[in-house]
Amino acid sequence: MVSSLLLCVVALITILVTIWIRKWRNPKFANGTLPPGSMGLPLIGETLELLFPSHSLDLHPFIKKRIQKYGPVFKTNFAGRPVVITTDSEINHHLFLQEGRSVEMWYLDTFAKLFNMDGESKPTGFGAVHRYVRSIVLNHFGTESLKNKLLPEIYTFVDLTLQKWTNQDSISVKESVASMVFDCTAKQMIGYDSTKSNEKLSEKFTSILQGLMSFPINIPGTAFHRVLQESKKITNMIREKINEKQKIPNKTDQDLLDQAVREMRTEAFVTEDFVVHFIFGALFASFESISSTITLAFKLLSDHPRVVEELRAEHEAILSKRDKSEEGSSSLSWDEYKSMPFTLQVINETLRLANVSPGLLRRAMKDIQVNGYTIPAGWTIMVATSAQQLNPKTYDDPMAFNPWRWKDLDSSVISKNFMPFGGGMRQCAGADFTRAFMTIFFHVLVTKYSWVKVKGGNKIGRTPFLDFGDGINIKVLNKE
Ligand code: HEM
Protein backbone atom coordinates (compact mmCIF):
# COMPACT_ATOMS: atom_id res chain seq x y z
CA MET A 1 0.00 0.00 0.00
CA VAL A 2 2.76 2.44 1.11
CA SER A 3 4.97 1.52 -1.83
CA SER A 4 2.18 2.08 -4.39
CA LEU A 5 1.43 5.46 -2.79
CA LEU A 6 5.13 6.35 -3.04
CA LEU A 7 5.11 5.24 -6.67
CA CYS A 8 2.12 7.51 -7.35
CA VAL A 9 3.87 10.49 -5.72
CA VAL A 10 7.07 9.87 -7.74
CA ALA A 11 5.01 9.51 -10.94
CA LEU A 12 3.12 12.73 -10.18
CA ILE A 13 6.35 14.65 -9.47
CA THR A 14 7.90 13.28 -12.68
CA ILE A 15 4.86 14.39 -14.70
CA LEU A 16 4.87 17.86 -13.11
CA VAL A 17 8.61 18.30 -13.65
CA THR A 18 8.27 17.14 -17.28
CA ILE A 19 5.44 19.63 -17.87
CA TRP A 20 7.49 22.37 -16.20
CA ILE A 21 10.54 21.57 -18.38
CA ARG A 22 8.39 21.45 -21.52
CA LYS A 23 6.75 24.78 -20.64
CA TRP A 24 10.16 26.28 -19.91
CA ARG A 25 11.57 25.08 -23.22
CA ASN A 26 8.55 26.17 -25.26
CA PRO A 27 7.41 29.48 -23.79
CA LYS A 28 3.90 30.38 -24.97
CA PHE A 29 3.51 33.58 -26.87
CA ALA A 30 0.16 34.47 -28.41
CA ASN A 31 1.17 37.59 -30.36
CA GLY A 32 3.50 36.08 -32.94
CA THR A 33 6.27 33.57 -33.56
CA LEU A 34 9.26 33.52 -31.24
CA PRO A 35 12.67 33.24 -32.90
CA PRO A 36 14.14 29.72 -33.09
CA GLY A 37 16.48 28.52 -30.35
CA SER A 38 16.54 26.67 -27.05
CA MET A 39 15.73 27.96 -23.58
CA GLY A 40 18.06 25.35 -22.04
CA LEU A 41 17.48 23.96 -18.56
CA PRO A 42 14.90 25.33 -16.14
CA LEU A 43 16.15 28.29 -14.08
CA ILE A 44 19.74 28.32 -15.38
CA GLY A 45 18.77 28.30 -19.05
CA GLU A 46 21.91 28.18 -21.21
CA THR A 47 24.03 30.28 -18.82
CA LEU A 48 26.69 27.63 -18.32
CA GLU A 49 27.29 27.30 -22.06
CA LEU A 50 27.59 31.05 -22.38
CA LEU A 51 30.13 31.19 -19.55
CA PHE A 52 32.09 28.19 -20.82
CA PRO A 53 35.47 29.69 -21.80
CA SER A 54 36.63 29.48 -25.39
CA HIS A 55 40.29 29.37 -26.36
CA SER A 56 40.41 31.58 -29.37
CA LEU A 57 39.89 35.17 -30.41
CA ASP A 58 37.13 33.96 -32.73
CA LEU A 59 33.46 34.61 -31.99
CA HIS A 60 32.38 32.85 -28.77
CA PRO A 61 31.15 29.34 -29.73
CA PHE A 62 27.86 30.00 -27.90
CA ILE A 63 26.98 32.54 -30.57
CA LYS A 64 28.81 30.94 -33.49
CA LYS A 65 27.13 27.53 -33.11
CA ARG A 66 23.68 29.05 -32.75
CA ILE A 67 24.06 31.23 -35.86
CA GLN A 68 24.93 28.06 -37.81
CA LYS A 69 21.94 26.20 -36.33
CA TYR A 70 19.22 28.87 -36.18
CA GLY A 71 20.32 31.79 -38.34
CA PRO A 72 21.11 35.38 -37.36
CA VAL A 73 18.33 35.83 -34.76
CA PHE A 74 17.66 33.27 -32.03
CA LYS A 75 16.25 32.92 -28.56
CA THR A 76 17.97 31.59 -25.47
CA ASN A 77 17.88 32.04 -21.71
CA PHE A 78 20.67 33.12 -19.44
CA ALA A 79 20.88 34.23 -15.84
CA GLY A 80 17.20 33.29 -15.52
CA ARG A 81 16.05 35.68 -18.25
CA PRO A 82 14.55 35.00 -21.68
CA VAL A 83 16.87 36.56 -24.24
CA VAL A 84 16.90 37.13 -28.00
CA ILE A 85 20.34 37.40 -29.56
CA THR A 86 20.57 39.27 -32.83
CA THR A 87 23.66 39.20 -35.02
CA ASP A 88 22.15 40.83 -38.10
CA SER A 89 23.69 44.22 -38.96
CA GLU A 90 20.47 45.80 -40.28
CA ILE A 91 18.46 44.71 -37.23
CA ASN A 92 21.20 45.77 -34.82
CA HIS A 93 21.56 49.16 -36.48
CA HIS A 94 17.77 49.60 -36.28
CA LEU A 95 17.65 48.54 -32.59
CA PHE A 96 20.31 51.11 -31.65
CA LEU A 97 18.13 53.80 -33.22
CA GLN A 98 15.10 52.57 -31.23
CA GLU A 99 16.57 53.58 -27.85
CA GLY A 100 13.80 54.96 -25.65
CA ARG A 101 11.10 53.98 -28.15
CA SER A 102 10.94 50.20 -28.37
CA VAL A 103 14.12 49.29 -26.46
CA GLU A 104 15.84 50.59 -23.36
CA MET A 105 19.15 49.97 -21.71
CA TRP A 106 19.13 47.05 -19.39
CA TYR A 107 21.70 45.12 -17.43
CA LEU A 108 21.73 41.69 -15.89
CA ASP A 109 20.71 41.55 -12.23
CA THR A 110 24.32 41.53 -11.04
CA PHE A 111 25.10 44.80 -12.80
CA ALA A 112 21.76 46.26 -11.80
CA LYS A 113 22.20 45.58 -8.08
CA LEU A 114 25.78 46.77 -8.17
CA PHE A 115 24.78 50.02 -9.82
CA ASN A 116 21.73 50.34 -7.57
CA MET A 117 19.16 49.82 -10.31
CA ASP A 118 17.04 47.26 -8.43
CA GLY A 119 17.09 44.74 -11.24
CA GLU A 120 15.44 46.90 -13.85
CA SER A 121 16.68 49.90 -15.70
CA LYS A 122 15.19 53.04 -14.28
CA PRO A 123 14.01 56.21 -15.92
CA THR A 124 17.27 57.69 -14.61
CA GLY A 125 18.92 55.96 -17.58
CA PHE A 126 16.95 58.05 -19.98
CA GLY A 127 15.93 61.60 -20.84
CA ALA A 128 17.38 64.52 -18.97
CA VAL A 129 19.63 62.45 -16.73
CA HIS A 130 21.07 60.54 -19.65
CA ARG A 131 21.76 63.81 -21.46
CA TYR A 132 23.43 65.14 -18.31
CA VAL A 133 25.69 62.08 -17.97
CA ARG A 134 26.70 62.21 -21.63
CA SER A 135 27.41 65.90 -21.56
CA ILE A 136 29.51 65.85 -18.37
CA VAL A 137 31.61 62.91 -19.66
CA LEU A 138 32.03 64.58 -23.07
CA ASN A 139 32.94 67.83 -21.35
CA HIS A 140 35.93 66.14 -19.68
CA PHE A 141 36.82 63.44 -22.22
CA GLY A 142 35.47 64.76 -25.54
CA THR A 143 37.16 66.48 -28.48
CA GLU A 144 37.45 69.98 -26.97
CA SER A 145 39.01 68.65 -23.79
CA LEU A 146 41.41 66.47 -25.79
CA LYS A 147 42.41 69.45 -27.93
CA ASN A 148 42.82 71.94 -25.10
CA LYS A 149 44.10 69.86 -22.26
CA LEU A 150 44.30 66.11 -22.46
CA LEU A 151 46.76 65.29 -25.27
CA PRO A 152 49.86 66.51 -23.36
CA GLU A 153 48.55 65.07 -20.07
CA ILE A 154 48.05 61.63 -21.61
CA TYR A 155 51.47 61.89 -23.25
CA THR A 156 53.23 62.62 -19.94
CA PHE A 157 51.28 59.91 -18.18
CA VAL A 158 52.10 57.28 -20.81
CA ASP A 159 55.76 58.28 -21.09
CA LEU A 160 56.32 58.16 -17.30
CA THR A 161 54.60 54.77 -17.12
CA LEU A 162 56.63 53.28 -19.98
CA GLN A 163 59.81 54.67 -18.42
CA LYS A 164 58.89 52.88 -15.16
CA TRP A 165 58.30 49.67 -17.08
CA THR A 166 61.86 49.77 -18.47
CA ASN A 167 63.12 49.40 -14.88
CA GLN A 168 61.33 46.10 -14.43
CA ASP A 169 62.54 42.71 -15.62
CA SER A 170 59.17 42.16 -17.22
CA ILE A 171 55.64 43.49 -16.84
CA SER A 172 52.34 41.69 -16.99
CA VAL A 173 50.68 43.67 -19.78
CA LYS A 174 47.01 43.43 -18.80
CA GLU A 175 47.48 44.45 -15.16
CA SER A 176 50.06 47.13 -15.93
CA VAL A 177 48.04 48.70 -18.76
CA ALA A 178 44.83 48.54 -16.67
CA SER A 179 46.54 50.30 -13.81
CA MET A 180 47.97 52.98 -16.17
CA VAL A 181 44.62 53.65 -17.86
CA PHE A 182 42.71 53.61 -14.59
CA ASP A 183 45.09 56.05 -12.89
CA CYS A 184 44.84 58.39 -15.90
CA THR A 185 41.02 58.37 -16.19
CA ALA A 186 40.51 58.45 -12.38
CA LYS A 187 42.66 61.59 -12.28
CA GLN A 188 40.38 63.28 -14.82
CA MET A 189 37.26 62.07 -13.03
CA ILE A 190 37.96 62.47 -9.32
CA GLY A 191 41.45 63.97 -9.11
CA TYR A 192 42.81 60.61 -7.90
CA ASP A 193 46.60 60.57 -7.59
CA SER A 194 47.78 56.97 -7.42
CA THR A 195 51.25 58.02 -6.20
CA LYS A 196 49.72 59.60 -3.09
CA SER A 197 47.09 56.98 -2.34
CA ASN A 198 47.57 54.07 0.10
CA GLU A 199 45.00 51.92 -1.68
CA LYS A 200 45.43 50.69 -5.25
CA LEU A 201 42.00 51.54 -6.60
CA SER A 202 42.63 49.90 -9.97
CA GLU A 203 43.11 46.52 -8.22
CA LYS A 204 39.77 46.85 -6.41
CA PHE A 205 38.01 47.54 -9.70
CA THR A 206 39.71 44.60 -11.37
CA SER A 207 38.56 42.32 -8.56
CA ILE A 208 34.98 43.61 -8.88
CA LEU A 209 35.03 42.99 -12.58
CA GLN A 210 36.07 39.39 -12.09
CA GLY A 211 32.98 38.78 -9.93
CA LEU A 212 30.51 40.56 -12.16
CA MET A 213 29.29 37.59 -14.16
CA SER A 214 28.48 35.71 -10.94
CA PHE A 215 24.92 34.89 -9.88
CA PRO A 216 23.54 37.75 -7.76
CA ILE A 217 23.39 35.86 -4.45
CA ASN A 218 24.50 38.07 -1.59
CA ILE A 219 25.67 35.68 1.12
CA PRO A 220 29.18 35.65 2.66
CA GLY A 221 31.57 33.51 0.65
CA THR A 222 29.95 34.13 -2.75
CA ALA A 223 31.72 36.06 -5.50
CA PHE A 224 28.80 38.47 -5.61
CA HIS A 225 29.09 39.20 -1.87
CA ARG A 226 32.77 40.06 -2.38
CA VAL A 227 31.86 42.34 -5.29
CA LEU A 228 29.37 44.23 -3.09
CA GLN A 229 31.91 44.59 -0.26
CA GLU A 230 34.59 45.96 -2.57
CA SER A 231 32.19 48.30 -4.33
CA LYS A 232 31.03 49.66 -0.96
CA LYS A 233 34.63 50.61 -0.11
CA ILE A 234 34.91 52.47 -3.41
CA THR A 235 31.58 54.28 -3.08
CA ASN A 236 32.61 55.34 0.45
CA MET A 237 35.84 56.74 -0.94
CA ILE A 238 33.92 58.69 -3.63
CA ARG A 239 31.59 60.02 -0.90
CA GLU A 240 34.61 61.26 1.08
CA LYS A 241 35.94 63.03 -2.03
CA ILE A 242 32.53 64.70 -2.53
CA ASN A 243 32.52 65.88 1.08
CA GLU A 244 36.07 67.26 0.75
CA LYS A 245 35.12 69.14 -2.41
CA GLN A 246 31.94 70.50 -0.80
CA LYS A 247 33.95 71.84 2.13
CA ILE A 248 36.76 73.33 0.03
CA PRO A 249 35.55 73.73 -3.57
CA ASN A 250 38.14 74.23 -6.32
CA LYS A 251 37.82 77.67 -7.96
CA THR A 252 37.71 76.14 -11.45
CA ASP A 253 36.72 72.61 -12.44
CA GLN A 254 39.92 70.57 -12.19
CA ASP A 255 38.12 67.28 -12.73
CA LEU A 256 34.69 65.85 -13.54
CA LEU A 257 33.77 65.54 -9.85
CA ASP A 258 34.33 69.29 -9.30
CA GLN A 259 31.68 69.98 -11.94
CA ALA A 260 29.28 67.37 -10.52
CA VAL A 261 29.65 68.73 -6.97
CA ARG A 262 29.06 72.28 -8.22
CA GLU A 263 25.93 71.11 -10.07
CA MET A 264 24.61 69.36 -6.95
CA ARG A 265 23.63 72.87 -5.88
CA THR A 266 21.65 73.66 -9.03
CA GLU A 267 20.27 70.41 -10.56
CA ALA A 268 17.60 68.63 -8.50
CA PHE A 269 18.51 65.10 -9.65
CA VAL A 270 22.25 65.59 -9.09
CA THR A 271 22.20 64.30 -5.52
CA GLU A 272 25.14 62.84 -3.60
CA ASP A 273 23.87 59.30 -4.23
CA PHE A 274 23.46 59.97 -7.92
CA VAL A 275 27.00 61.36 -8.23
CA VAL A 276 28.49 58.44 -6.28
CA HIS A 277 26.86 55.82 -8.51
CA PHE A 278 27.47 57.71 -11.69
CA ILE A 279 31.21 58.19 -10.93
CA PHE A 280 31.47 54.55 -9.93
CA GLY A 281 29.93 53.46 -13.24
CA ALA A 282 31.99 55.91 -15.27
CA LEU A 283 35.25 54.73 -13.68
CA PHE A 284 34.18 51.25 -14.60
CA ALA A 285 33.23 52.08 -18.17
CA SER A 286 36.50 53.85 -18.75
CA PHE A 287 39.36 51.53 -17.95
CA GLU A 288 38.63 47.87 -18.58
CA SER A 289 37.80 48.14 -22.27
CA ILE A 290 40.80 50.29 -23.18
CA SER A 291 43.21 48.14 -21.20
CA SER A 292 41.94 44.91 -22.79
CA THR A 293 42.19 46.50 -26.24
CA ILE A 294 45.76 47.75 -25.68
CA THR A 295 46.77 44.36 -24.26
CA LEU A 296 45.43 42.67 -27.37
CA ALA A 297 47.29 45.22 -29.48
CA PHE A 298 50.57 44.14 -27.82
CA LYS A 299 49.86 40.54 -28.72
CA LEU A 300 48.87 41.36 -32.31
CA LEU A 301 51.78 43.76 -32.87
CA SER A 302 54.25 41.27 -31.38
CA ASP A 303 53.05 38.71 -33.93
CA HIS A 304 53.06 41.18 -36.85
CA PRO A 305 56.42 43.02 -37.05
CA ARG A 306 55.50 44.51 -40.46
CA VAL A 307 52.66 46.42 -38.82
CA VAL A 308 55.05 47.73 -36.15
CA GLU A 309 57.47 48.85 -38.89
CA GLU A 310 54.78 50.82 -40.71
CA LEU A 311 53.47 52.26 -37.45
CA ARG A 312 56.97 53.37 -36.47
CA ALA A 313 57.57 54.89 -39.91
CA GLU A 314 54.36 56.93 -39.62
CA HIS A 315 55.26 58.27 -36.19
CA GLU A 316 58.89 58.98 -37.02
CA ALA A 317 57.77 60.86 -40.12
CA ILE A 318 55.67 63.07 -37.85
CA LEU A 319 58.66 63.84 -35.65
CA SER A 320 60.89 64.56 -38.64
CA LYS A 321 58.32 67.01 -40.07
CA ARG A 322 58.54 69.21 -36.99
CA ASP A 323 60.40 72.48 -37.42
CA LYS A 324 63.21 73.52 -35.10
CA SER A 325 60.94 75.30 -32.59
CA GLU A 326 58.83 72.15 -32.06
CA GLU A 327 61.70 69.65 -31.83
CA GLY A 328 61.77 67.81 -28.52
CA SER A 329 58.14 68.76 -27.86
CA SER A 330 56.85 66.35 -25.25
CA SER A 331 53.44 65.80 -26.79
CA LEU A 332 51.54 65.52 -30.03
CA SER A 333 49.75 68.54 -31.46
CA TRP A 334 46.12 68.19 -32.52
CA ASP A 335 47.12 68.44 -36.21
CA GLU A 336 49.74 65.73 -35.78
CA TYR A 337 47.22 63.55 -33.99
CA LYS A 338 44.80 63.98 -36.87
CA SER A 339 47.35 62.99 -39.52
CA MET A 340 47.98 59.33 -38.74
CA PRO A 341 45.89 57.22 -41.13
CA PHE A 342 47.77 53.99 -40.54
CA THR A 343 47.59 54.32 -36.75
CA LEU A 344 43.83 54.73 -37.03
CA GLN A 345 43.66 51.60 -39.17
CA VAL A 346 45.64 49.66 -36.54
CA ILE A 347 43.28 50.92 -33.83
CA ASN A 348 40.18 49.99 -35.84
CA GLU A 349 41.54 46.56 -36.64
CA THR A 350 42.39 45.93 -32.98
CA LEU A 351 38.93 47.08 -31.84
CA ARG A 352 37.30 44.92 -34.51
CA LEU A 353 39.07 41.79 -33.31
CA ALA A 354 38.91 42.63 -29.60
CA ASN A 355 35.13 42.58 -29.10
CA VAL A 356 35.76 43.08 -25.41
CA SER A 357 32.14 42.16 -24.76
CA PRO A 358 30.08 39.80 -26.97
CA GLY A 359 27.32 42.38 -27.34
CA LEU A 360 25.18 45.03 -25.73
CA LEU A 361 22.07 44.41 -23.67
CA ARG A 362 18.70 46.02 -24.18
CA ARG A 363 15.16 45.34 -22.94
CA ALA A 364 12.19 45.25 -25.31
CA MET A 365 9.70 47.90 -24.09
CA LYS A 366 7.04 46.49 -26.45
CA ASP A 367 6.73 43.58 -28.87
CA ILE A 368 9.27 44.02 -31.65
CA GLN A 369 9.01 42.41 -35.09
CA VAL A 370 12.28 41.21 -36.66
CA ASN A 371 12.77 38.92 -39.68
CA GLY A 372 9.22 37.51 -39.31
CA TYR A 373 9.69 36.80 -35.58
CA THR A 374 8.50 38.69 -32.51
CA ILE A 375 10.67 39.70 -29.57
CA PRO A 376 8.12 39.92 -26.72
CA ALA A 377 7.94 43.01 -24.50
CA GLY A 378 10.05 42.57 -21.37
CA TRP A 379 12.54 40.18 -22.96
CA THR A 380 16.25 40.96 -22.95
CA ILE A 381 17.94 41.55 -26.30
CA MET A 382 21.62 41.01 -26.87
CA VAL A 383 22.77 43.10 -29.81
CA ALA A 384 25.73 40.88 -30.71
CA THR A 385 28.06 43.40 -32.34
CA SER A 386 30.90 40.85 -32.02
CA ALA A 387 29.24 38.67 -34.68
CA GLN A 388 29.08 41.60 -37.10
CA GLN A 389 32.75 42.46 -36.61
CA LEU A 390 33.90 38.92 -37.34
CA ASN A 391 31.49 38.25 -40.19
CA PRO A 392 33.37 36.78 -43.20
CA LYS A 393 30.79 38.30 -45.57
CA THR A 394 31.97 41.78 -44.55
CA TYR A 395 35.57 41.17 -43.51
CA ASP A 396 37.57 38.94 -45.79
CA ASP A 397 39.51 36.38 -43.68
CA PRO A 398 38.01 37.94 -40.52
CA MET A 399 40.45 36.46 -38.00
CA ALA A 400 43.49 37.91 -39.80
CA PHE A 401 45.01 41.04 -38.22
CA ASN A 402 45.16 43.16 -41.33
CA PRO A 403 45.07 46.94 -40.68
CA TRP A 404 45.44 47.58 -44.42
CA ARG A 405 41.93 46.20 -45.05
CA TRP A 406 40.49 49.50 -43.76
CA LYS A 407 41.80 51.36 -46.84
CA ASP A 408 39.31 49.52 -49.05
CA LEU A 409 36.27 49.31 -46.78
CA ASP A 410 33.37 51.50 -47.78
CA SER A 411 32.16 53.97 -45.14
CA SER A 412 28.53 52.73 -45.40
CA VAL A 413 29.74 49.16 -44.73
CA ILE A 414 31.79 50.37 -41.77
CA SER A 415 28.93 52.33 -40.22
CA LYS A 416 26.68 49.24 -40.03
CA ASN A 417 29.27 46.54 -39.38
CA PHE A 418 31.81 48.12 -37.07
CA MET A 419 30.30 49.12 -33.74
CA PRO A 420 32.93 48.74 -31.03
CA PHE A 421 31.47 51.80 -29.31
CA GLY A 422 27.82 50.84 -29.81
CA GLY A 423 25.48 53.08 -31.78
CA GLY A 424 22.63 55.57 -31.65
CA MET A 425 22.15 57.91 -28.72
CA ARG A 426 23.95 55.55 -26.30
CA GLN A 427 27.15 55.48 -28.34
CA CYS A 428 30.24 55.49 -26.12
CA ALA A 429 31.01 58.94 -24.74
CA GLY A 430 34.65 57.89 -24.33
CA ALA A 431 35.25 56.86 -27.97
CA ASP A 432 37.36 59.92 -28.90
CA PHE A 433 39.32 59.67 -25.66
CA THR A 434 39.97 55.98 -26.31
CA ARG A 435 41.26 56.62 -29.83
CA ALA A 436 43.46 59.47 -28.60
CA PHE A 437 44.80 57.43 -25.69
CA MET A 438 45.66 54.51 -27.95
CA THR A 439 47.26 56.79 -30.54
CA ILE A 440 49.47 58.50 -27.97
CA PHE A 441 50.32 55.18 -26.41
CA PHE A 442 51.46 53.81 -29.80
CA HIS A 443 53.30 57.05 -30.55
CA VAL A 444 55.34 56.99 -27.34
CA LEU A 445 55.87 53.24 -27.57
CA VAL A 446 57.25 53.12 -31.11
CA THR A 447 59.24 56.38 -31.05
CA LYS A 448 60.92 55.98 -27.65
CA TYR A 449 60.79 52.33 -26.69
CA SER A 450 60.87 48.78 -27.97
CA TRP A 451 59.70 45.57 -26.36
CA VAL A 452 60.22 41.84 -26.44
CA LYS A 453 57.68 39.26 -25.45
CA VAL A 454 58.84 37.30 -22.40
CA LYS A 455 56.00 34.79 -22.08
CA GLY A 456 52.28 34.15 -22.54
CA GLY A 457 49.85 35.49 -25.07
CA ASN A 458 48.88 32.07 -26.37
CA LYS A 459 45.76 31.48 -24.31
CA ILE A 460 43.55 34.30 -25.47
CA GLY A 461 39.88 33.38 -25.35
CA ARG A 462 36.42 34.54 -24.42
CA THR A 463 34.54 33.97 -21.16
CA PRO A 464 32.42 35.41 -23.02
CA PHE A 465 34.40 38.62 -22.35
CA LEU A 466 37.83 38.92 -23.93
CA ASP A 467 40.21 37.04 -21.67
CA PHE A 468 43.98 36.68 -21.68
CA GLY A 469 44.33 33.33 -19.86
CA ASP A 470 47.73 33.28 -18.18
CA GLY A 471 48.41 36.80 -19.47
CA ILE A 472 51.18 38.28 -21.57
CA ASN A 473 54.51 39.38 -20.12
CA ILE A 474 56.87 41.72 -21.95
CA LYS A 475 60.16 43.47 -21.30
CA VAL A 476 60.14 47.15 -22.28
CA LEU A 477 63.44 48.74 -23.34
CA ASN A 478 64.55 52.28 -24.09
CA LYS A 479 65.01 52.61 -27.84
CA GLU A 480 68.54 53.99 -27.74
C1 HEM B 1 38.11 50.47 -25.82
C2 HEM B 1 37.45 51.35 -25.04
C3 HEM B 1 35.95 51.44 -24.94
C4 HEM B 1 34.99 50.67 -25.52
C5 HEM B 1 35.16 49.47 -26.47
C6 HEM B 1 33.72 51.20 -25.09
C7 HEM B 1 32.49 50.70 -25.48
C8 HEM B 1 31.29 51.27 -25.15
C9 HEM B 1 30.02 50.82 -25.66
C10 HEM B 1 29.83 49.65 -26.62
C11 HEM B 1 29.07 51.62 -25.13
C12 HEM B 1 27.56 51.54 -25.39
C13 HEM B 1 26.90 50.72 -24.32
C14 HEM B 1 25.48 50.40 -24.69
O1 HEM B 1 24.96 50.92 -25.67
O2 HEM B 1 24.89 49.55 -23.99
C15 HEM B 1 29.72 52.56 -24.27
C16 HEM B 1 29.05 53.54 -23.55
C17 HEM B 1 29.70 54.44 -22.74
N1 HEM B 1 31.05 54.58 -22.57
FE1 HEM B 1 32.47 53.48 -23.45
N2 HEM B 1 33.93 52.25 -24.24
C18 HEM B 1 35.27 52.45 -24.12
C19 HEM B 1 35.90 53.43 -23.39
C20 HEM B 1 35.27 54.38 -22.65
C21 HEM B 1 35.92 55.43 -21.90
C22 HEM B 1 37.43 55.63 -21.84
C23 HEM B 1 34.95 56.18 -21.29
C24 HEM B 1 35.08 57.38 -20.39
C25 HEM B 1 36.04 58.21 -20.41
C26 HEM B 1 33.69 55.60 -21.67
C27 HEM B 1 32.47 56.09 -21.25
C28 HEM B 1 31.26 55.62 -21.70
C29 HEM B 1 29.97 56.18 -21.27
C30 HEM B 1 29.76 57.34 -20.30
C31 HEM B 1 29.00 55.44 -21.94
C32 HEM B 1 27.48 55.63 -21.84
C33 HEM B 1 27.06 56.54 -22.98
C34 HEM B 1 25.56 56.80 -22.99
O3 HEM B 1 24.80 56.06 -22.40
O4 HEM B 1 25.18 57.80 -23.64
N3 HEM B 1 33.92 54.53 -22.49
N4 HEM B 1 31.07 52.34 -24.30
Side-chain angles (χ1 to χ4, degrees), residues 105 130 134 141 286 289 293 362 420-422 425-426 428 430 434:
M105 200 149 179
H130 174 231
R134 263 198 94 74
F141 291 91
S286 62
S289 314
T293 310
R362 293 291 184 270
F421 297 110
M425 64 205 282
R426 287 269 173 200
C428 177
T434 300

Side-chain angles (χ1 to χ4, degrees), residues 132-425:
Y132 175 78
V133 166
R134 263 198 94 74
S135 93
I136 195 168
V137 173
L138 286 172
N139 194 19
H140 291 267
F141 291 91
T143 312
E144 285 311 305
S145 187
L146 283 164
K147 247 186 198 173
N148 301 330
K149 172 180 166 213
L150 289 182
L151 287 192
E153 287 193 18
I154 300 173
Y155 186 101
T156 310
F157 214 93
V158 167
D159 197 18
L160 280 176
T161 309
L162 285 168
Q163 198 45 249
K164 266 193 236 151
W165 290 356
T166 60
N167 298 328
Q168 296 175 33
D169 290 341
S170 88
I171 57 137
S172 165
V173 179
K174 179 68 175 53
E175 285 74 32
S176 307
V177 174
S179 157
M180 168 184 69
V181 177
F182 182 89
D183 292 349
C184 180
T185 51
K187 178 163 186 293
Q188 307 305 327
M189 284 195 199
I190 56 173
Y192 169 73
D193 183 345
S194 60
T195 57
K196 294 188 185 145
S197 169
N198 301 330
E199 298 221 70
K200 246 249 23 77
L201 267 191
S202 57
E203 281 169 13
K204 287 203 183 310
F205 269 93
T206 306
S207 134
I208 292 176
L209 199 86
Q210 282 158 0
L212 264 186
M213 281 307 280
S214 58
F215 275 96
I217 302 167
N218 181 16
I219 42 175
T222 60
F224 185 61
H225 182 75
R226 183 177 45 78
V227 166
L228 289 182
Q229 297 294 311
E230 291 287 40
S231 57
K232 201 167 178 185
K233 285 188 203 151
I234 295 177
T235 49
N236 285 344
M237 186 278 292
I238 301 173
R239 253 177 235 287
E240 275 167 32
K241 288 238 170 237
I242 294 176
N243 292 338
E244 278 167 27
K245 285 182 189 282
Q246 278 175 323
K247 276 187 208 136
I248 315 169
N250 280 324
K251 288 206 177 72
T252 53
D253 292 345
Q254 310 282 318
D255 51 56
L256 187 150
L257 190 58
D258 279 331
Q259 183 182 343
V261 168
R262 186 165 47 75
E263 285 162 352
M264 278 168 69
R265 286 182 239 126
T266 50
E267 291 283 356
F269 61 80
V270 186
T271 60
E272 183 176 313
D273 272 349
F274 171 82
V275 174
V276 168
H277 290 110
F278 154 56
I279 294 281
F280 186 94
L283 282 170
F284 232 103
S286 62
F287 89 106
E288 174 59 22
S289 314
I290 304 191
S291 55
S292 291
T293 310
I294 293 182
T295 305
L296 181 65
F298 262 111
K299 152 79 181 155
L300 296 169
L301 292 176
S302 302
D303 293 347
H304 296 85
R306 213 160 72 78
V307 178
V308 181
E309 260 169 50
E310 187 154 342
L311 205 53
R312 186 165 279 138
E314 181 164 272
H315 287 270
E316 284 178 349
I318 283 174
L319 295 186
S320 65
K321 267 190 225 143
R322 286 183 178 171
D323 61 31
K324 282 268 174 294
S325 63
E326 295 166 323
E327 268 173 22
S329 160
S330 58
S331 182
L332 279 174
S333 70
W334 184 254
D335 289 342
E336 286 170 340
Y337 166 56
K338 283 287 165 192
S339 60
M340 303 179 180
F342 187 67
T343 306
L344 192 61
Q345 288 168 18
V346 173
I347 292 173
N348 279 355
E349 186 67 348
T350 311
L351 284 164
R352 182 185 72 79
L353 285 170
N355 289 309
V356 178
S357 142
L360 306 173
L361 297 178
R362 293 291 184 270
R363 196 166 79 107
M365 294 161 76
K366 48 182 156 182
D367 292 351
I368 302 172
Q369 309 301 324
V370 289
N371 278 13
Y373 301 114
T374 308
I375 306 174
W379 279 39
T380 298
I381 304 171
M382 184 196 268
V383 181
T385 45
S386 59
Q388 289 165 255
Q389 295 183 178
L390 298 174
N391 186 345
K393 287 187 190 142
T394 315
Y395 300 101
D396 195 27
D397 193 5
M399 294 315 296
F401 177 59
N402 174 12
W404 294 279
R405 73 168 81 236
W406 292 88
K407 274 196 295 195
D408 306 322
L409 282 168
D410 193 76
S411 61
S412 63
V413 174
I414 296 175
S415 71
K416 286 196 179 155
N417 296 282
F418 179 60
M419 299 180 167
F421 297 110
M425 64 205 282

Side-chain angles (χ1 to χ4, degrees), residues 16-132:
L16 288 176
V17 169
T18 313
I19 293 172
W20 182 45
I21 294 178
R22 189 167 294 167
K23 267 194 169 171
W24 175 273
R25 294 217 161 147
N26 305 293
K28 285 270 166 296
F29 183 62
N31 298 343
T33 312
L34 292 173
S38 162
M39 304 305 270
L41 294 169
L43 301 180
I44 59 168
E46 299 194 302
T47 313
L48 297 181
E49 281 177 65
L50 177 75
L51 298 183
F52 200 74
S54 75
H55 301 291
S56 125
L57 199 53
D58 202 353
L59 191 59
H60 192 281
F62 182 91
I63 298 177
K64 197 167 184 169
K65 276 190 201 154
R66 282 160 181 77
I67 296 177
Q68 281 156 4
K69 197 165 172 192
Y70 304 118
V73 182
F74 49 90
K75 68 173 181 298
T76 176
N77 182 300
F78 48 77
R81 300 273 182 172
V83 180
V84 167
I85 298 188
T86 140
T87 63
D88 179 282
S89 51
E90 289 298 331
I91 298 175
N92 289 358
H93 183 68
H94 171 74
L95 286 173
F96 280 136
L97 300 180
Q98 284 300 307
E99 185 73 42
R101 279 178 271 182
S102 56
V103 300
E104 61 181 356
M105 200 149 179
W106 185 80
Y107 285 113
L108 294 179
D109 287 355
T110 313
F111 289 82
K113 284 188 187 159
L114 188 63
F115 294 123
N116 231 17
M117 296 198 286
D118 298 328
E120 300 293 334
S121 64
K122 290 229 172 126
T124 52
F126 198 60
V129 180
H130 174 231
R131 278 196 295 281
Y132 175 78

